[in-house]
Amino acid sequence: QVQLVESGGGLVQAGGSLRLSCAASERTFNNYPMYWFRQPPGKEREFVTTIRWNGVFTTYYADSVKGRFTISRDNNKNTVYLQMNSLKPDDTAVYYCAADPVERPYWRVIRAGPPNYGMDYWGKGTLVTVSS
């Protein structure tokens, strides 16, 4: 069973940057679409971004982070990254990575909705706090 561990969260001022990492326990992770979600305080978990390999790396972003966040993966390290730039206080949340061995289209994952978007493999999350 794939285990996912997030790291890189912390406190940052508005306008700053952070890079989150999600390390997987197995190389089989390299075959799976990977996702980042976040859960702001008092709110439901929401989709942030996804990456998959289908001959090329394909990515998709929530409108709220498009142009500021970048997802990438290093299959040699079994790791997915989330580079977050121009951070805003509204980005404050616990950030989770997730793997989808079923390889559903991203729109189907989003439509499945919170809390788990139909996925079984989740990390425990890392807290990002953006101060104004």
Side-chain angles (χ1 to χ4, degrees), residues 2 28 31-35 98-104 118-121:
V2 173
T28 51
N31 299 321
Y32 303 157
M34 294 298 296
Y35 288 76
D100 186 23
V102 181
E103 300 187 42
R104 292 169 295 163
M119 288 192 285
D120 295 327
Y121 299 114

Side-chain angles (χ1 to χ4, degrees), residues 4-5 12 25 44 58-59 62 74 82 91 98 103 110-111 120:
L4 304 172
V5 179
V12 63
S25 60
E44 292 186 314
T58 301
T59 59
D74 184 342
L82 182 63
D91 294 318
E103 300 187 42
I110 294 172
R111 193 168 71 178
D120 295 327

Side-chain angles (χ1 to χ4, degrees), residues 11-87:
L11 175 64
V12 63
Q13 287 188 330
S17 298
L18 280 176
R19 188 177 80 156
L20 306 183
S21 299
C22 171
S25 60
E26 300 177 6
R27 292 191 64 82
T28 51
F29 133 98
N30 294 337
N31 299 321
Y32 303 157
M34 294 298 296
Y35 288 76
W36 285 99
F37 292 84
R38 66 186 182 184
Q39 188 164 12
K43 297 183 179 180
E44 292 186 314
R45 192 177 295 181
E46 62 186 28
F47 166 81
V48 176
T49 182
T50 182
I51 186 168
R52 69 182 60 210
W53 174 257
N54 49 11
V56 295
F57 282 121
T58 301
T59 59
Y60 181 76
Y61 296 90
D63 288 343
S64 59
V65 306
K66 199 173 297 183
R68 300 187 299 121
F69 290 11
T70 302
I71 188 172
S72 62
R73 67 193 301 169
D74 184 342
N75 284 351
N76 291 325
K77 297 182 178 180
N78 300 348
T79 301
V80 175
Y81 302 99
L82 182 63
Q83 177 67 42
M84 306 186 296
N85 298 329
S86 302
L87 282 162

Side-chain angles (χ1 to χ4, degrees), residues 115-131:
N116 289 332
Y117 293 82
M119 288 192 285
D120 295 327
Y121 299 114
W122 291 84
K124 293 185 178 180
T126 185
L127 176 63
V128 172
T129 303
V130 184
S131 63

